[in-house]
């Protein structure tokens, strides 16, 4: 929206919609949303195994940053991210991810989701807000998750 779009036909108009080319996919990241959906799908399953982890890591840029919890330091690069996936795979089983909402602008994709799993032998259901940055090649360059730590604390 743009301020000050008054014209002779609508002199009292304070806001107006910007001129948008519906074919301009930079405004709404259709391909970026698809990349995030595919990435998330690769992580689901009864037991996260090395092949799944490799598929997920290959959907990320070599220098990708993953903030497991957004305010913690990120894991950076394929090796660090792979190692963290392998570590976490020992802690949970049966990961299911339900995307409740997804939105994007340019290369940034936001999702609201529920991650469900057995964590250390106990059921865990967590509401997550994720922010993903997707590069021009459709690879995840950054991933930050936000959650209520009261929901995910062991």
């Amino acid at each position: 929206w743009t301020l000050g779009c008054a014209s002779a036909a609508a002199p009292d108009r304070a806001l107006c919609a910007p001129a948008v080319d519906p074919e301009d996919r930079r405004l709404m990241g259709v391909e970026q949303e698809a990349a995030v959906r595919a990435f998330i799908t690769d992580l689901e399953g009864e037991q996260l195994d090395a092949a799944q982890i490799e598929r997920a890591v290959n959907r990320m840029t070599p220098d990708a940053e993953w903030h497991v919890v957004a305010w913690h330091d990120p894991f950076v690069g394929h090796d660090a991210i792979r190692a963290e996936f392998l570590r976490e795979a020992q802690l949970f089983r049966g990961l299911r991810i339900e995307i409740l909402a997804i939105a994007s602008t340019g290369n940034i994709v936001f999702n609201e989701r529920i991650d469900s799993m057995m964590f250390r032998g106990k059921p865990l259901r967590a509401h997550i807000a994720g922010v993903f940055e997707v590069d021009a090649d459709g690879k995840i360059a950054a991933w930050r998750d936000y959650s209520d730590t009261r929901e995910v604390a062991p």
Side-chain angles (χ1 to χ4, degrees):
W1 294 89
T2 306
L3 292 174
C5 292
S7 67
D12 60 339
R13 189 167 202 178
L15 295 173
C16 67
V20 175
D21 176 359
E23 297 302 314
D24 186 351
R25 293 179 174 225
R26 290 174 300 158
L27 298 176
M28 196 174 71
V30 174
E31 291 88 1
Q32 291 81 1
E33 289 177 19
V36 169
R37 286 180 188 276
F39 176 74
I40 286 172
T41 298
D42 280 345
L43 297 175
E44 287 188 296
E46 199 50 43
Q47 173 62 51
L48 191 59
D49 61 31
Q52 279 178 283
I53 290 169
E54 204 55 38
R55 280 193 304 275
V57 167
N58 286 332
R59 290 187 185 276
M60 304 178 90
T61 62
D63 60 346
E65 294 185 3
W66 175 29
H67 294 258
V68 176
V69 179
W71 49 88
H72 290 171
D73 290 338
F75 294 93
V76 179
H78 282 182
D79 291 341
I81 292 168
R82 182 183 299 105
E84 179 59 13
F85 276 143
L86 288 167
R87 186 192 74 77
E88 288 189 14
Q90 302 307 308
L91 304 175
F92 69 86
R93 303 273 185 277
L95 178 61
R96 301 289 177 257
I97 301 170
E98 177 187 1
I99 296 175
L100 303 174
I102 192 164
S104 58
T105 181
N107 71 319
I108 307 295
V109 177
F110 303 88
N111 70 16
E112 174 189 13
R113 63 185 201 267
I114 297 175
D115 292 4
S116 301
M117 68 196 80
M118 291 298 291
F119 182 75
R120 294 183 174 162
K122 296 180 182 175
L124 173 69
R125 187 171 187 262
H127 295 79
I128 309 287
V131 180
F132 298 81
E133 296 176 28
V134 182
D135 78 357
D137 295 323
K139 301 241 181 198
I140 307 294
W143 172 20
R144 296 177 297 280
D145 275 345
Y146 299 83
S147 60
D148 183 340
T149 54
R150 292 175 298 182
E151 244 182 358
V152 297

